[in-house]
Amino acid sequence: MAVRACRLLSQGLQSPLLLRAVNTATTASPQVSRDRRREVDGASLQSLFALAGGVIPWFAVAAALFAAASMTVGLVFAPTDVQQGEARRIVFVHLPAAWISLLIFFAMALCAVLGLLLGRRMASMLATALAPTGALMGFVALWTGAMWARPVLGSWWGQSGLAFELLLLLLLYFAFIAQQAAATEDPRRADRNGALIVLAGAVNLPIFHFALQWWSTFEQGQLDGLMRLTVSAGSLDLACVLLMVLAACAYSVAAALHRFRSIVLEREKASDWVRHQVGAA
Amino acid sequence: MHWASLTDFAEMGGHALYVWGAYLVLFGALAWELVLLLHRRRRALDDARQHALLFGPDPDSAQNVPNR
């Protein structure tokens, strides 16, 4: 059922006009240069595959250290908030999760543009590798947001458009992941459809955000004030959140590169170098 | 140190459910992703090995083995 819904969605995206635009962008060059490009592409895949294998442990260790430091500050040393009580400590993980989820989405959009315009498989594979981590962060942000809003504002959902924005972001992630899962037999088409979803999202999210800010009837100002970080001498808020942002960045890089390596193995298993690689291992 | 005792820390000023609920789900989600990542790599590696077995050996080895 879900798969069928995704097929429909991906068919809907294949409007002739869009397809023609994308096709001219990706296949306009002559055959020779396309072969050459594929060769270069394969070489860059191979080198990033090797590089990723080397750096993943370092990013993972960095993530663990930053997270441990941030949680020690946030849970053990930070003082109780006058208005929000101990629930304030949830903000220290909520904000980084929400930011990193957005950041990953825009990183995916960048990859998607590169993948579409340059026909580089590596960029599309990176976008695919980033998506589940971004979705996970989006989910964590929604959940922790609810956990914070209940004791502080009195409702799980909060009274702001911010929760709607996070939900929209999460749905965009789901659309991307689901259509990739539905089109496994044709990865290039999945990449193209995925790129269109991410680009549509990257254009719409800022519009949605500013529309909510300008025309919202919710008590946006009050909520923004509560979430805001206290930036002053002796305040631990900012240090705590920044450390967690660093941890989230390092974690996302490690997870995405790990997934990228699996994707390369899945898609390039027919290539000489992958056969060499798995044969040697 | 902000807390007077370990019980104090665990109770989180009456917000234990929310604070620990948030952190628990965060770590649960991370653990879940870790499992998925390792599972996917395992499967991708097995698949690639199978493919190499089915569709001929690694092209370099053909040159290394004489009289083949």
Side-chain angles (χ1 to χ4, degrees):
Chain A
M1 171 87 175
V3 170
R4 233 178 71 202
C6 298
R7 286 236 170 85
L8 280 178
L9 178 70
S10 88
Q11 275 163 11
L13 279 170
Q14 308 228 332
S15 90
L17 201 67
L18 269 179
L19 267 190
R20 202 172 309 144
V22 172
N23 276 336
T24 43
T26 50
T27 59
S29 40
Q31 181 65 35
V32 180
S33 92
R34 217 189 319 164
D35 285 350
R36 170 82 190 121
R37 208 165 53 189
R38 205 175 164 76
E39 213 172 276
V40 173
D41 217 18
S44 56
L45 273 181
Q46 186 177 356
S47 46
L48 186 60
F49 184 89
L51 180 71
V55 299
I56 286 170
W58 295 101
F59 278 104
V61 168
L65 289 179
F66 282 129
S70 168
M71 283 176 60
T72 311
V73 175
L75 285 174
V76 181
F77 290 105
T80 309
D81 188 87
V82 185
Q83 269 182 299
Q84 304 167 36
E86 310 299 351
R88 175 72 182 164
R89 295 172 204 284
I90 300 171
V91 175
F92 302 150
V93 285
H94 170 76
L95 282 181
W99 289 346
I100 207 74
S101 181
L102 260 180
L103 186 69
I104 289 178
F105 195 82
F106 284 98
M108 279 170 65
L110 190 69
C111 286
V113 172
L114 290 179
L116 271 187
L117 294 185
L118 308 177
R120 299 298 290 263
R121 284 173 301 158
M122 189 166 88
S124 305
M125 287 186 197
L126 278 175
T128 307
L130 279 165
T133 303
L136 190 92
M137 292 295 172
F139 167 73
V140 168
L142 260 185
W143 178 272
T144 51
M147 287 283 146
W148 174 81
R150 182 73 182 105
V152 175
L153 304 175
S155 80
W156 296 104
W157 190 242
Q159 292 194 317
S160 134
L162 289 171
F164 284 102
E165 273 177 59
L166 273 176
L167 189 67
L168 178 67
L169 182 65
L170 197 60
L171 289 177
L172 284 166
Y173 274 122
F174 284 162
F176 181 89
I177 294 168
Q179 73 83 25
Q180 294 253 335
T184 40
E185 73 282 354
D186 187 358
R188 291 302 288 156
R189 209 187 72 185
D191 284 347
R192 214 170 41 196
N193 291 344
L196 293 178
I197 292 179
V198 192
L199 286 180
V203 171
N204 278 307
L205 275 175
I207 296 177
F208 193 68
H209 177 80
F210 289 113
L212 273 173
Q213 274 203 338
W214 289 334
W215 293 298
S216 178
T217 53
F218 296 127
E219 299 150 29
Q220 185 91 20
Q222 183 210 348
L223 181 80
D224 278 356
L226 282 175
M227 273 281 189
R228 195 163 292 143
L229 298 170
T230 325
V231 186
S232 63
S235 157
L236 296 175
D237 277 24
L238 192 67
C240 185
V241 168
L242 283 184
L243 280 171
M244 196 52 102
V245 167
L246 286 175
C249 284
Y251 170 81
S252 304
V253 170
L257 284 180
H258 194 281
R259 196 175 289 107
F260 170 78
R261 276 166 64 91
S262 299
I263 293 170
V264 170
L265 284 179
E266 285 162 10
R267 292 200 189 176
E268 299 290 298
K269 60 186 170 196
S271 71
D272 292 347
W273 72 270
V274 168
R275 277 195 272 176
H276 183 80
Q277 190 94 19
V278 297
Chain B
M1 183 72 82
H2 170 70
W3 306 99
S5 71
L6 212 60
T7 341
D8 243 24
F9 179 62
E11 278 173 5
M12 278 286 156
H15 289 153
L17 180 70
Y18 304 108
V19 176
W20 298 126
Y23 279 87
L24 206 70
V25 167
L26 168 68
F27 281 101
L30 294 181
W32 187 50
E33 190 180 26
L34 191 67
V35 169
L36 288 184
L37 280 173
L38 294 178
H39 177 75
R40 186 165 185 177
R41 181 172 69 180
R42 180 82 262 152
R43 215 181 42 192
L45 263 179
D46 285 351
D47 245 32
R49 285 210 184 98
Q50 188 109 18
H51 193 277
L53 278 177
L54 280 175
F55 297 98
D58 147 31
D60 291 350
S61 64
Q63 293 154 15
N64 298 337
V65 182
N67 305 326
R68 184 170 162 176

